[in-house]
Amino acid sequence: MDAQASSIKWTDGVRELAQDLRCLAWLHAEERDGATWLALYRAGFPMGLYLAGGNGVPAMTRALETLAEVHAHEPQRVDDRLAADYAAIYLTHALRASPCESVWRDEDHLILQEPTFAVREVYRRHGIGPLDWRAMPDDHLVHELCFVAHLLEADEQAAALDFLDHHLLTWLPQFAERVAQRADTLVYAALALLTVDAMNLLRARLS
């Protein structure tokens, strides 16, 4: 009976877990201004995540509390710093913390190498068509988070676990550590920690 109850509880929560992944992907996908981050905070983020756990949650809570204090007096300054930090991480790679798997796993640390094509093949096997790699490579963090969400929604939990083990969690901890150390804003440092903690928690649940 206990095993059956556990299975039912897991099934009921799959949609919410997938939503957590898509929420995190959305935050990594584009620059978000201070007002957006504070709206999320007032709505219960990050404590409201099903995958809330680890050091990322208190780090993000502190970051958003600090952001709220500064934003009340200097909203433009907050927005400018968030924009610059987002660019340094995701666009100009000034922090040397690429959000793409290939850069971490290729011996020459280059984008669009063998890991990219391996991820593309996994997507193809699970019905995901060609992506616009010029806009965002297949092995970008955003795509990988959304793919795991897709697998959960399709009730392919074994495939989700396999993808975490062979792709996302092979490089995400390194990315998160470097961003946490080098980011200029507490928000983006905390987002990196929050994301890797969520994936570790998801992996534990899947296994």
Side-chain angles (χ1 to χ4, degrees):
M1 177 63 76
D2 289 345
Q4 182 180 5
S6 176
S7 176
I8 292 171
K9 184 177 181 181
W10 165 256
T11 302
D12 290 346
V14 166
R15 183 170 60 87
E16 286 78 8
L17 293 168
Q19 286 177 344
D20 278 5
L21 296 181
R22 294 192 185 281
C23 173
L24 292 171
W26 182 78
L27 290 171
H28 287 283
E30 291 183 25
E31 164 198 328
R32 310 296 172 186
D33 62 15
T36 300
W37 283 102
L38 293 177
L40 286 170
Y41 184 47
R42 289 191 292 270
F45 180 84
M47 288 300 297
L49 294 173
Y50 266 56
L51 292 171
N55 296 325
V57 170
M60 181 58 80
T61 299
R62 288 193 299 271
L64 294 178
E65 288 173 348
T66 301
L67 185 146
E69 293 173 5
V70 180
H71 191 268
H73 303 287
E74 300 178 272
Q76 189 59 54
R77 176 169 172 257
V78 167
D79 290 349
D80 290 345
R81 287 191 63 193
L82 288 172
D85 212 21
Y86 182 88
I89 299 166
Y90 302 94
L91 302 178
T92 67
H93 307 300
L95 300 192
R96 296 295 185 267
S98 173
C100 296
E101 178 180 334
S102 178
V103 175
W104 297 96
R105 301 189 65 191
D106 176 68
E107 64 180 21
D108 295 319
H109 307 293
L110 299 174
I111 199 169
L112 297 173
Q113 299 302 303
E114 190 279 332
T116 309
F117 300 107
V119 166
R120 183 178 297 173
E121 175 59 21
V122 177
Y123 293 169
R124 186 195 64 78
R125 292 202 306 267
H126 290 276
I128 304 296
L131 302 172
D132 183 0
W133 59 268
R134 293 176 181 83
M136 185 179 286
D138 304 63
D139 59 345
H140 193 284
L141 175 57
V142 170
H143 286 320
E144 294 201 0
L145 289 171
C146 288
F147 179 64
V148 177
H150 168 77
L151 293 175
L152 293 179
E153 291 161 347
D155 197 26
E156 296 189 61
Q157 296 169 23
L161 178 60
D162 185 74
F163 190 81
L164 287 172
D165 284 344
H166 291 94
H167 291 284
L168 189 50
L169 281 174
T170 65
W171 65 276
L172 180 60
Q174 297 166 273
F175 167 82
E177 180 180 12
R178 188 166 296 181
V179 172
Q181 291 173 346
R182 300 182 180 182
D184 180 57
T185 63
L186 294 175
V187 166
Y188 280 110
L191 178 61
L193 295 175
L194 187 69
T195 303
V196 73
D197 286 347
M199 294 308 96
N200 284 324
L201 182 55
L202 176 61
R203 193 207 176 280
R205 292 191 180 187
L206 289 171
S207 62

